[in-house]
Amino acid sequence: MTLAPSQSPALQASGPGQVEPLHDAVERLLRAADAEAVRDECEVFARCLVPGAHVAWQVCGDTSTGEGIELGVDPRSERSLMLLADETDSPGAADLIGWLGRLAGARLRQLAETANLYEAISRLAMAERLQRALYAIAEQAGAEHNMRDMMTALHGIVGSLMYAENFYIVLYDAPSRTVRFPYFIDSVDTDPPDPESIRPIEDIENTLTWHILQSGKSLMGASNELEKNLPGPRVSIGPPSDDWLGVPMKRGEDVVGALVVQSYRADTRYTPNDRELLTYVAQHVQTALERRQAHEELERRVTTRTAALREANRVLRQQVLQRQRGERLQAALFRIAELANTSDSIENFYAAVHRVIGGLLYARNFYIALLSEDQVKLTFPYSVDELDGAREPRELGRGLTEYVLRNGKALLADRAEIDRLNRDQVLSTTGARSLHWLGVPLIWNEKSMGVLAVQSYSPEHTYSARDQELLTFVSYHIANALQRKYTTESLKQAYASLERRVTERTRALALANRDLREQIAERERVERRLKYETLHDSLTGLPNRTLLLQRLEQALNHYRENPGDLFAVLFIDLDRFKVINDSVGHLVGDDLLFQVGGRVRACLKTRDVVARLGGDEFAVLVEGITDPQAATHIAERIIAQLQTPFRLGAKEIFTSASIGIALPTPEYTRPEELLRDADSAMYRAKDEGRHRAAVFDDRLRREALSLLELEGDLRRALTRHEFVPFYQPIVDLEDRRVVGYEALLRWRHPERGLLPPGEFLAVAEDTGCSEAIDWQIFQQVVRQARALTREEGFVSINVSGSHFRSPDLDQRLLDLLEEQKVPARCIRVEVTERALLENPAQVKRILENLRAHGVGIALDDFGTGYSSLSYLHQYPIETLKIDRSFVIDLPAEDNEVHSTAVVRAIQALADSLRMQVIAEGIETETQMHALRRIGCRFGQGFLFAQPAPASKWLGSPLSLDV
């Protein structure tokens, strides 16, 4: 098919001047670069055919521009190219217009296909760039350079994907609520954050970065516009940017940081595509950072371990060198002794001695000096030296050799020492100057007959005191040999003496060698003993915690490879062992522990492990069991075995055990976790009555996790001041007039809501938080006391026994009242009978001081403890509070039941002592009327009001009569 038109009559009739514009228009049409150029060329072509013709775009289906001829359709914009003209009816013009339409339609389709191809190529190029960037990010995690270089490389990678001249990374630690900016590059900001500084997140609160970290969502736009549209006050850190883009880095659902790029150029903006791209890249950057941090931690541990191994290797090498030195010394001595007996001539003897000494120390420069027979000259029968080729005999002078010869002692000197001796005129040396010199005397017949000397002209070779000791020792043997050589007159005697001395020396060396071997054997025995003691308990001889954990780790690894091979961990604790220890003494207690270990060992197989963890705690590793029930049977067998009385000296001791059992599951990764869970199960066995076994299950795990979470929440609640006082009115039972309030502890938990003290107070006492919680309540109560009491009533605070262990409790409370300007009569301290027993003298002093300053003292829960009358006599108590357990059983009529008699007795006792009585837990009108009949004047309870915050009672009527 061809697009060329047939020779219509109109085209054939046209002259050359008319055909040329049409030909140029067609050429330009086929070269048109876009749809608008196609329209322009079509209009030029059409006007050559029909004067006044107009070509325009029209939306497909739209007829508002009038009737026309459709020349073609642009596939990209879905618009039609319409020819609008008054007369197009001539046959030649219609044929050419149709041909023009086919040309225009074909060109529009070509342009659309080309544009689509360019877009596909662009998307492919972008995907390839992104893939290269992700590969580069992944490679950075394993690169050898440091963290700063890695982040610089990450900056370059992000910059290859979008405009990132200004770029920073922020890391967020949610548990500690801290942030760090490890990388920050900004072309305008002159005060960048310290990359090593860790800051609380509150320092950047309500900034754009803070919103990303808190919401986990990305932000994009001009910084000023974003700050205006975000909730909360506007906080700006750094200069404003024309465009700002930040995305979070997440680990699962938790935000761990963010990537931010910004532009200070009006012509550079970020697009939604950039946001999606940066969000995708952020997760890979976060993964790379975590991998890099893990890699650095691994390298640190490897470096530490390598240093420890290097130090152990150094010690081992030193030991090996010492042993080698000993062996070389022994061989040298044997060699010298051999030379003394076998050398043919004195010259060969000297050369052999030189070789032996050269094997022990640096002896490249070596000579032997001997006194002449008349002892006035010094001769050098043997000399090897780098600088002094030959040493001629000389008269005795003041050289180094003569110095050693005169003193009969070895001399070890360096250049500085030699110069000092020359300056002091002790020496007058000649010849080549050595850097280090070592000479020892050759002594026989108790006289210095010669000198053995070595020297060094190089700083690389020095001599030490050890070398001096070694050469001195060797010189004795050389002197002996020389003495025999030069004393021909007493050859036989000298030979016998030499043989005897050699024998003695050999025996001494043999003895020394034997002692050395014995010392090595003893050291090995001690090492084995130390290793045994390190892994075993010194009292019972059983394995200790370290050995047990090693075996547990082996069993856990075997279980991971073979899940069908079960094992069990039994945690054994003797019941009431402290009572036995305190009553019969620690020696008997230790004997009991020894026998307990033996009985437990007798209940198990040989391959099983029994370990003593400390005190009266034992642990058992049972391997090769077929089901969990088998572990329970073993525990019951141990419990039954420990029931048999123990015979300890003249006493018969009975004890029992509580056992916790933990079985392996895929969740366990460390042996300590199994031991911890077995310990938890043991405590459950004790809670259930002792003398039994309990298996750790998911409920215990949940309880442990819940307890751990509650402990953490308590400590965080202290820092966030989540503990608040609730107040319950104390009323006059006659007219229900409010006379005071009791402050009660409540916890506004951010997730669980308002919690009473029964749900967390026991845990707070175990963790040591209870006193800090109480002081937060005391401070709030004292601040609100004046407004609540209106300086007429009082507010009671509950002070537990643990507070009275502090000798300055009274002064702290009085200082708090003075600080808040609260009269002492507005505060009443409630204590329990148990608190009075712990430290009576100190409690009495504290209460008397508080009472002397006007603070009221009330005895809480009276009647439920010891109820000793001595309390009321010894302590400055002015109020008794009747426990609700007596109030709740009060009858409707005036019947003399047990509760009525107790309350009546307390009221009579208080009246006689002129004390006030307050009844707690009044819930019904019947109880209130019964108390009034008995004579009780004041009370509190749900009948009148439930505990509520201070805001409810401020400004409320003083009467609760509704």
Side-chain angles (χ1 to χ4, degrees), residues 295-311:
H295 181 69
E296 289 185 347
E297 175 64 18
L298 179 60
E299 286 184 344
R300 184 188 64 77
R301 294 175 61 185
V302 169
T303 301
T304 303
R305 182 60 177 165
T306 302
L309 291 175
R310 186 181 296 111
E311 177 63 19

Side-chain angles (χ1 to χ4, degrees), residues 495-543:
Y495 181 80
S497 176
L498 179 60
E499 186 177 32
R500 178 175 50 81
R501 295 181 66 181
V502 169
T503 303
E504 291 175 356
R505 293 295 182 183
T506 305
R507 184 183 302 110
L509 288 174
L511 292 175
N513 194 21
R514 186 193 65 185
D515 293 341
L516 181 60
R517 287 196 298 269
E518 290 177 354
Q519 291 175 5
I520 293 174
E522 177 66 18
R523 180 172 182 177
E524 291 175 349
R525 188 188 65 79
V526 170
E527 287 179 352
R528 290 194 299 270
R529 180 62 183 172
L530 288 176
K531 184 176 181 181
Y532 178 85
E533 292 177 353
T534 302
L535 299 176
H536 291 77
D537 176 52
S538 59
L539 174 63
T540 62
L542 297 174

